[in-house]
Amino acid sequence: LGLLSGRYTLEPAQMGYLVAANTFAGLCTSLAAPYWIRRVGLRVAVAGFLVFMALGLYGLSLAPNLAVLFGVQMLLGVTAVGVASV
């Protein structure tokens, strides 16, 4: 988060919003995971989460503006909690 604040010149409130977006996306994933992970299959779910996590981490370096950065942070929140939920 410190590197992102330097690159995008984020204010403390914006950094807090980024953390909140990541946490909220993770919360939604954690609440919804029991209803759909078994239908997809554990291996497929973990593989998908890991692929999207790698894409999200790569996307942090390519985000052109703050809106895309929020989307990538939400994707990372979903994938991190998704892997932990399995």
Side-chain angles (χ1 to χ4, degrees):
L1 198 57
L3 293 173
L4 291 177
S5 67
R7 180 168 183 216
Y8 292 99
T9 60
L10 299 175
E11 298 176 7
Q14 291 172 322
M15 289 183 357
Y17 290 140
L18 279 176
V19 171
N22 185 306
T23 304
F24 180 71
L27 172 71
C28 292
T29 302
S30 180
L31 292 174
Y35 300 108
W36 62 269
I37 282 189
R38 295 204 190 274
R39 291 182 188 166
V40 173
L42 297 178
R43 288 185 182 186
V44 173
V46 170
F49 283 135
L50 291 176
V51 166
F52 281 106
M53 185 181 288
L55 292 173
L57 290 171
Y58 182 65
L60 284 177
S61 65
L62 300 176
N65 56 32
L66 194 58
V68 175
L69 186 62
F70 271 95
V72 171
Q73 278 296 105
M74 291 182 77
L75 174 68
L76 289 173
V78 166
T79 58
V81 175
V83 169
S85 294
V86 175

